[in-house]
């Protein structure tokens, strides 16, 4: 299990964003700490932010599945531990 990760996904349409958030619940070996769905400033775009712990294989599987979903625009994965360390030395 890797450290904390933040996965940011961008979708066109609220229904597509909600469907993507539900997909993470179907994966084995994932500890989800938070899920946020918010509207972007661009019309009908929604961002899904997941804070989770999982192996790189599970994250890759999830991204492969979610990127083939309707309305998928882009994805970004950040290492939460690295971000915290970077913020701490500013």
């Amino acid at each position: 299990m890797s450290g904390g990760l933040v996965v940011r996904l961008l979708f066109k349409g609220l229904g597509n964003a909600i469907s993507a958030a539900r997909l993470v619940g179907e994966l084995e070996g994932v500890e989800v700490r938070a899920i946020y769905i918010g509207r972007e400033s661009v019309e009908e775009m929604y961002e899904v932010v997941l804070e989770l712990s999982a192996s790189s294989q599970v994250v890759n599987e999830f991204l492969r599945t979610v990127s083939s979903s309707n309305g998928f625009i882009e994805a970004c994965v950040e290492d939460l531990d690295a971000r915290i360390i970077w913020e701490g030395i500013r």
Side-chain angles (χ1 to χ4, degrees):
M1 190 78 65
S2 72
L5 298 173
V6 174
V7 178
R8 297 177 189 277
L9 307 165
L10 187 61
F11 284 90
K12 181 171 178 94
L14 179 58
N16 296 327
I18 291 170
S19 293
R22 287 183 179 146
L23 282 175
V24 77
E26 298 173 7
L27 297 173
E28 297 286 328
V30 176
E31 177 189 330
V32 179
R33 293 188 206 121
I35 298 176
Y36 165 80
I37 299 176
R39 190 173 187 146
E40 287 290 298
S41 58
V42 179
E43 187 175 321
E44 290 301 309
M45 295 290 182
Y46 291 85
E47 182 180 42
V48 179
V49 180
L50 307 163
E51 184 183 335
L52 51 87
S53 291
S55 70
S56 59
Q57 286 179 314
V58 171
V59 173
N60 285 334
E61 177 186 330
F62 173 68
L63 291 175
R64 190 174 14 261
T65 301
V66 81
S67 66
S68 65
S69 300
N70 288 335
F72 175 79
I73 305 294
E74 67 181 17
C76 175
V77 179
E78 300 172 14
D79 185 322
L80 184 60
D81 297 330
R83 187 170 58 88
I84 290 170
I85 292 169
W86 180 79
E87 287 179 354
I89 61 174
R90 277 200 300 180

